[in-house]
Amino acid sequence: HCKFFFPDNLLGISWVDSSWIPILNNGSVLDYFSERSNPFYDRTCNNEVVKMQRMTLDHLNQMVGVEYILLHAQEPILFIIRKQQRQSPTQVVPLADYYIIAGVIYQAPDLGSVINSRVLTAVHGIQSAFEEAMSYCRYHPSKGYWWHFKDQEEREKTKPKAKKKEEPSSIFQRQRVDALLLDLRQKFPPRFVQQKPGEKPIPVDQIKKEPEPAPETVKPEEKETVKNTQSAGAKGPPEKRMRLQ
């Protein structure tokens, strides 16, 4: 089974043969990689010559040309195969690396491809940011330049405002407020008074004051009687005079 994303670019290709996955190990991974349907395999390599002549892989050291070797193995999940150009028994030049994860073969990207991809991604992000920023820029000869974020204003209008929790007042605050209100009432007395709830307030001047009770009237005779009684009580009873015989 082979998946192709970009036929001209091997970095976009993955290949897998599910029948090999249960038997993959250090001894069979190169045979799995040398399958003819594998697009990463070069049939003109020395591995193909050794395979056709039924020789062991040890003969690769005595040959010159392209060859594949098992560079790293972590059975049964990970294998790394290197493609290299052999110039002598002791001198080789690496050409490419391939990693096999769970039976799926990928080509490892080179440093230039990684840097190129990262730079293109960064440039695309910066260009998109500049284009979006320019869409909010406004200019007028009298005002100059300014930013107009219409979408942000609409989101703020539709966003429900969080209700602030009201904290109860302290005794000190209530006493201070009552004192200030009393002081203001004395300085600025009310001009209108609402006698009952729901009634229309009326001016204070129009309120009828209740008449004060008149002092009790006492008759002159009663005054004299009271006066005599008081004076008699103060002086005591009159003394009896002796009669002359």
Side-chain angles (χ1 to χ4, degrees):
H1 177 65
C2 183
K3 297 179 182 179
F4 292 92
F5 299 99
F6 302 99
D8 298 334
N9 186 5
L10 295 179
L11 296 177
I13 297 174
S14 65
W15 181 86
V16 60
D17 188 347
S18 57
S19 62
W20 279 82
I21 295 178
I23 59 174
L24 278 180
N25 53 43
N26 294 353
S28 62
V29 65
L30 284 176
D31 294 333
Y32 172 60
F33 190 82
S34 62
E35 283 286 331
R36 292 186 176 274
S37 58
N38 181 12
F40 303 108
Y41 183 67
D42 185 0
R43 297 179 185 176
T44 62
C45 64
N46 293 338
N47 298 67
E48 190 70 15
V49 176
V50 170
K51 184 178 180 180
M52 292 177 63
Q53 295 181 4
R54 300 190 179 188
M55 295 186 296
T56 61
L57 295 177
D58 296 336
H59 290 81
L60 291 175
N61 297 335
Q62 308 300 325
M63 304 176 68
V64 177
V66 177
E67 64 182 20
Y68 295 93
I69 63 169
L70 178 60
L71 184 64
H72 177 75
Q74 185 178 346
E75 294 184 355
I77 192 69
L78 174 64
F79 301 93
I80 298 178
I81 294 176
R82 171 166 290 179
K83 179 182 180 181
Q84 58 188 12
Q85 177 74 33
R86 180 170 292 278
Q87 299 177 353
S88 67
T90 58
Q91 187 176 4
V92 293
V93 178
L95 300 178
D97 289 337
Y98 306 91
Y99 55 94
I100 305 173
I101 299 179
V104 183
I105 303 177
Y106 306 90
Q107 181 176 348
D110 55 284
L111 183 60
S113 300
V114 172
I115 295 176
N116 187 30
S117 175
R118 296 294 185 271
V119 170
L120 288 176
T121 303
V123 170
H124 176 71
I126 294 173
Q127 185 177 0
S128 300
F130 273 114
E131 291 177 355
E132 185 174 359
M134 289 300 296
S135 64
Y136 299 117
C137 181
R138 299 290 184 272
Y139 173 77
H140 192 272
S142 60
K143 297 181 180 180
Y145 290 96
W146 76 92
W147 299 103
H148 180 70
F149 300 99
K150 185 176 180 180
D151 297 340
Q152 185 176 0
E153 293 178 358
E154 293 178 355
R155 287 195 299 268
E156 290 179 355
K157 290 180 180 179
T158 57
K159 185 178 179 181
K161 295 182 179 179
K163 295 183 179 179
K164 294 184 178 179
K165 187 178 180 180
E166 297 182 357
E167 298 181 358
S169 60
S170 63
I171 299 176
F172 173 76
Q173 292 174 340
R174 290 195 292 271
Q175 291 177 350
R176 289 293 300 167
V177 170
D178 292 342
L180 291 174
L181 292 176
L182 182 60
D183 187 26
L184 291 174
R185 182 181 177 86
Q186 293 175 356
K187 292 181 178 179
F188 307 99
R191 298 181 180 179
F192 295 88
V193 176
Q194 186 179 20
Q195 295 181 344
K196 294 182 180 180
E199 292 185 354
K200 184 178 179 181
I202 59 177
V204 178
D205 301 337
Q206 297 181 5
I207 298 177
K208 295 181 179 179
K209 296 184 179 180
E210 296 181 359
E212 296 181 358
E216 296 180 357
T217 58
V218 182
K219 295 180 180 180
E221 297 177 357
E222 294 179 356
K223 284 184 179 181
E224 188 176 353
T225 305
V226 173
K227 185 175 180 181
N228 293 334
T229 305
Q230 290 179 354
S231 59
K235 294 180 180 181
E239 296 181 357
K240 294 181 180 181
R241 295 180 180 181
M242 295 180 64
R243 292 181 181 182
L244 298 176
Q245 292 180 358

